[in-house]
Amino acid sequence: SYVARFQREATSAGALNHPNIVQVHAVGEAEGQHYIAQEYVKGLTLKAYLQKKGPPELPVALHIMRQVAAALKAAGEAGIVHRDIKPENIMISKKADVKVADFGLAQLHGTGEGVDITQEGTTLGTPLYMSPEQVSGSKVDPRSDVYSFGVTCFQMLTGRPPYEGPTAVSIAVKHLNDPVPLLSARRPDLPPALSAIVA
Protein backbone atom coordinates (compact mmCIF):
# COMPACT_ATOMS: atom_id res chain seq x y z
CA SER A 1 0.00 0.00 0.00
CA TYR A 2 2.92 2.37 0.66
CA VAL A 3 4.33 1.68 -2.80
CA ALA A 4 0.89 2.19 -4.37
CA ARG A 5 0.54 5.56 -2.60
CA PHE A 6 4.06 6.53 -3.66
CA GLN A 7 3.28 5.66 -7.29
CA ARG A 8 0.01 7.64 -7.23
CA GLU A 9 1.80 10.65 -5.73
CA ALA A 10 4.57 10.41 -8.30
CA THR A 11 2.10 10.08 -11.16
CA SER A 12 0.01 13.03 -10.00
CA ALA A 13 3.05 15.24 -9.40
CA GLY A 14 4.54 14.18 -12.74
CA ALA A 15 1.36 15.21 -14.54
CA LEU A 16 1.73 18.79 -13.29
CA ASN A 17 3.61 20.60 -16.00
CA HIS A 18 3.79 24.24 -14.94
CA PRO A 19 6.65 26.75 -14.79
CA ASN A 20 5.97 27.40 -11.09
CA ILE A 21 5.93 23.74 -10.02
CA VAL A 22 9.09 21.64 -9.57
CA GLN A 23 8.99 19.22 -12.50
CA VAL A 24 9.14 15.46 -12.00
CA HIS A 25 11.44 13.96 -14.65
CA ALA A 26 11.26 10.26 -13.87
CA VAL A 27 9.71 7.74 -11.51
CA GLY A 28 11.17 4.30 -11.10
CA GLU A 29 12.76 1.59 -9.02
CA ALA A 30 16.42 0.62 -8.71
CA GLU A 31 17.66 -2.29 -6.60
CA GLY A 32 14.45 -2.31 -4.58
CA GLN A 33 14.44 1.46 -3.97
CA HIS A 34 11.56 3.47 -5.40
CA TYR A 35 12.47 7.00 -6.45
CA ILE A 36 11.28 10.25 -7.98
CA ALA A 37 13.85 12.24 -9.97
CA GLN A 38 12.89 15.91 -9.90
CA GLU A 39 14.08 19.14 -11.43
CA TYR A 40 17.00 20.70 -9.56
CA VAL A 41 16.27 24.29 -8.59
CA LYS A 42 19.42 26.29 -7.96
CA GLY A 43 18.53 28.85 -5.34
CA LEU A 44 16.95 29.14 -1.90
CA THR A 45 13.77 28.06 -0.20
CA LEU A 46 11.56 30.94 0.87
CA LYS A 47 12.39 29.98 4.46
CA ALA A 48 16.13 30.37 3.82
CA TYR A 49 15.50 33.63 1.94
CA LEU A 50 13.56 35.06 4.89
CA GLN A 51 16.23 33.94 7.37
CA LYS A 52 18.91 35.58 5.24
CA LYS A 53 17.17 38.80 4.17
CA GLY A 54 14.05 39.21 6.30
CA PRO A 55 10.68 40.27 4.84
CA PRO A 56 11.09 41.25 1.17
CA GLU A 57 10.24 44.61 -0.34
CA LEU A 58 6.65 44.80 -1.56
CA PRO A 59 7.40 44.27 -5.31
CA VAL A 60 9.43 41.14 -4.49
CA ALA A 61 6.71 39.81 -2.17
CA LEU A 62 4.06 40.34 -4.86
CA HIS A 63 6.29 38.58 -7.43
CA ILE A 64 6.56 35.55 -5.12
CA MET A 65 2.84 35.59 -4.33
CA ARG A 66 1.77 35.72 -7.98
CA GLN A 67 3.93 32.75 -8.94
CA VAL A 68 2.88 30.55 -6.01
CA ALA A 69 -0.77 31.43 -6.66
CA ALA A 70 -0.33 30.36 -10.32
CA ALA A 71 1.14 27.02 -9.16
CA LEU A 72 -1.72 26.40 -6.71
CA LYS A 73 -4.28 27.28 -9.39
CA ALA A 74 -2.71 24.73 -11.77
CA ALA A 75 -2.58 22.03 -9.07
CA GLY A 76 -6.18 22.71 -8.01
CA GLU A 77 -7.41 22.55 -11.61
CA ALA A 78 -5.62 19.19 -11.95
CA GLY A 79 -7.44 17.89 -8.88
CA ILE A 80 -4.40 17.94 -6.60
CA VAL A 81 -4.22 19.39 -3.08
CA HIS A 82 -0.61 19.88 -1.91
CA ARG A 83 -1.45 19.87 1.85
CA ASP A 84 1.95 21.18 2.97
CA ILE A 85 2.34 24.70 1.59
CA LYS A 86 4.97 26.47 3.70
CA PRO A 87 8.15 28.52 3.15
CA GLU A 88 10.32 25.37 3.05
CA ASN A 89 8.37 24.10 0.03
CA ILE A 90 8.63 27.29 -2.02
CA MET A 91 11.84 27.60 -4.04
CA ILE A 92 13.27 30.85 -5.39
CA SER A 93 15.79 30.31 -8.18
CA LYS A 94 18.79 32.52 -8.90
CA LYS A 95 16.78 33.91 -11.84
CA ALA A 96 13.96 34.86 -9.41
CA ASP A 97 11.65 32.11 -10.69
CA VAL A 98 9.44 30.75 -7.93
CA LYS A 99 8.50 27.07 -7.80
CA VAL A 100 6.36 25.01 -5.44
CA ALA A 101 8.10 21.77 -4.42
CA ASP A 102 7.37 18.58 -2.52
CA PHE A 103 4.03 17.09 -3.38
CA GLY A 104 4.81 14.28 -0.92
CA LEU A 105 1.59 14.85 1.08
CA ALA A 106 -0.54 15.54 -1.98
CA GLN A 107 -4.10 14.30 -2.24
CA LEU A 108 -6.13 13.72 -5.37
CA HIS A 109 -9.66 15.08 -5.20
CA GLY A 110 -12.61 15.42 -7.50
CA THR A 111 -11.75 12.23 -9.41
CA GLY A 112 -14.81 10.35 -8.21
CA GLU A 113 -12.50 7.80 -6.63
CA GLY A 114 -11.69 9.73 -3.44
CA VAL A 115 -8.07 8.66 -3.70
CA ASP A 116 -5.85 9.65 -0.77
CA ILE A 117 -2.21 9.51 -1.75
CA THR A 118 -1.34 9.29 1.92
CA GLN A 119 -3.09 7.20 4.55
CA GLU A 120 -6.74 7.92 5.07
CA GLY A 121 -7.72 9.54 8.35
CA THR A 122 -4.27 10.90 9.15
CA THR A 123 -3.62 14.56 9.86
CA LEU A 124 -0.67 15.66 7.78
CA GLY A 125 1.04 18.96 7.18
CA THR A 126 2.98 21.43 9.29
CA PRO A 127 1.07 22.91 12.29
CA LEU A 128 2.27 26.50 11.70
CA TYR A 129 0.59 26.48 8.27
CA MET A 130 -2.24 23.92 8.54
CA SER A 131 -5.75 24.78 7.47
CA PRO A 132 -8.49 24.26 10.10
CA GLU A 133 -9.90 21.31 8.13
CA GLN A 134 -6.48 19.62 8.16
CA VAL A 135 -6.19 20.14 11.91
CA SER A 136 -9.61 18.60 12.51
CA GLY A 137 -8.98 15.71 10.07
CA SER A 138 -11.82 16.82 7.77
CA LYS A 139 -11.95 16.61 3.99
CA VAL A 140 -9.56 18.97 2.19
CA ASP A 141 -9.77 20.65 -1.21
CA PRO A 142 -7.72 23.37 -2.98
CA ARG A 143 -8.96 25.98 -0.49
CA SER A 144 -6.81 24.26 2.16
CA ASP A 145 -3.72 25.17 0.14
CA VAL A 146 -4.99 28.75 -0.24
CA TYR A 147 -5.29 28.99 3.55
CA SER A 148 -1.77 27.65 4.09
CA PHE A 149 -0.49 30.05 1.45
CA GLY A 150 -2.20 32.93 3.28
CA VAL A 151 -0.37 31.92 6.47
CA THR A 152 2.88 31.75 4.48
CA CYS A 153 2.28 35.23 3.03
CA PHE A 154 1.54 36.62 6.50
CA GLN A 155 4.88 35.27 7.73
CA MET A 156 6.73 36.44 4.61
CA LEU A 157 5.44 40.00 5.06
CA THR A 158 5.77 40.29 8.85
CA GLY A 159 8.66 37.98 9.68
CA ARG A 160 6.46 35.91 12.03
CA PRO A 161 3.63 33.42 11.53
CA PRO A 162 0.14 34.59 12.55
CA TYR A 163 -0.12 31.98 15.32
CA GLU A 164 2.62 30.99 17.73
CA GLY A 165 2.72 28.72 20.75
CA PRO A 166 4.89 26.41 22.85
CA THR A 167 3.84 23.21 21.06
CA ALA A 168 2.66 22.06 17.64
CA VAL A 169 -0.70 21.07 19.16
CA SER A 170 -1.25 24.51 20.73
CA ILE A 171 -0.56 26.20 17.37
CA ALA A 172 -2.85 23.80 15.52
CA VAL A 173 -5.67 24.54 17.98
CA LYS A 174 -5.27 28.28 17.30
CA HIS A 175 -5.90 27.64 13.60
CA LEU A 176 -9.20 26.07 14.64
CA ASN A 177 -10.37 28.50 17.30
CA ASP A 178 -8.60 31.86 17.26
CA PRO A 179 -9.62 34.86 15.14
CA VAL A 180 -7.42 35.49 12.12
CA PRO A 181 -4.80 38.13 13.01
CA LEU A 182 -4.87 41.10 10.66
CA LEU A 183 -1.79 41.77 8.57
CA SER A 184 -2.54 45.50 8.86
CA ALA A 185 -2.08 45.33 12.65
CA ARG A 186 1.55 44.23 12.21
CA ARG A 187 2.28 46.04 8.93
CA PRO A 188 0.14 49.19 8.69
CA ASP A 189 2.49 50.42 5.93
CA LEU A 190 1.19 47.80 3.48
CA PRO A 191 -1.66 48.58 1.05
CA PRO A 192 -5.09 47.71 2.54
CA ALA A 193 -5.89 45.63 -0.56
CA LEU A 194 -2.88 43.38 0.14
CA SER A 195 -3.94 42.92 3.76
CA ALA A 196 -7.40 41.93 2.54
CA ILE A 197 -5.96 39.41 0.04
CA VAL A 198 -3.81 37.76 2.72
CA ALA A 199 -6.76 37.67 5.15
Side-chain angles (χ1 to χ4, degrees):
S1 66
Y2 284 109
V3 172
R5 279 195 297 275
F6 174 87
Q7 289 170 339
R8 284 196 299 269
E9 184 270 324
T11 302
S12 64
L16 288 172
N17 188 2
H18 189 275
N20 299 120
I21 295 175
V22 172
Q23 187 63 49
V24 171
H25 293 306
V27 178
E29 180 186 350
E31 299 176 5
Q33 295 292 316
H34 296 269
Y35 67 86
I36 302 176
Q38 300 182 84
E39 169 188 7
Y40 173 66
V41 180
K42 190 171 185 176
L44 295 170
T45 65
L46 179 57
K47 180 180 181 179
Y49 177 96
L50 294 174
Q51 287 171 338
K52 188 175 177 181
K53 300 186 176 187
E57 294 293 322
L58 184 57
V60 175
L62 292 174
H63 175 76
I64 292 167
M65 289 172 69
R66 278 190 201 100
Q67 293 190 62
V68 175
L72 295 180
K73 181 176 187 281
E77 287 174 350
I80 296 169
V81 183
H82 187 287
R83 296 203 296 183
D84 200 23
I85 296 297
K86 58 185 178 182
E88 294 93 318
N89 286 336
I90 297 170
M91 300 293 303
I92 304 170
S93 78
K94 294 212 178 267
K95 295 180 179 179
D97 294 323
V98 180
K99 293 177 180 277
V100 175
D102 194 3
F103 278 77
L105 296 182
Q107 179 183 38
L108 301 176
H109 76 96
T111 59
E113 298 172 23
V115 177
D116 269 338
I117 293 170
T118 47
Q119 290 181 5
E120 216 171 299
T122 53
T123 300
L124 295 167
T126 305
L128 276 177
Y129 310 97
M130 268 187 190
S131 65
E133 57 273 18
Q134 282 176 281
V135 172
S136 65
S138 303
K139 187 176 170 74
V140 300
D141 65 32
R143 292 172 294 180
S144 299
D145 287 343
V146 173
Y147 180 93
S148 298
F149 182 46
V151 175
T152 298
C153 291
F154 190 100
Q155 181 176 346
M156 175 176 66
L157 292 163
T158 67
R160 289 173 33 220
Y163 301 115
E164 297 175 280
T167 66
V169 171
S170 69
I171 296 167
V173 168
K174 288 182 180 186
H175 282 283
L176 274 175
N177 299 322
D178 286 14
V180 176
L182 295 177
L183 182 61
S184 57
R186 290 197 197 169
R187 288 286 308 271
D189 58 305
L190 293 174
L194 179 60
S195 298
I197 288 168
V198 172

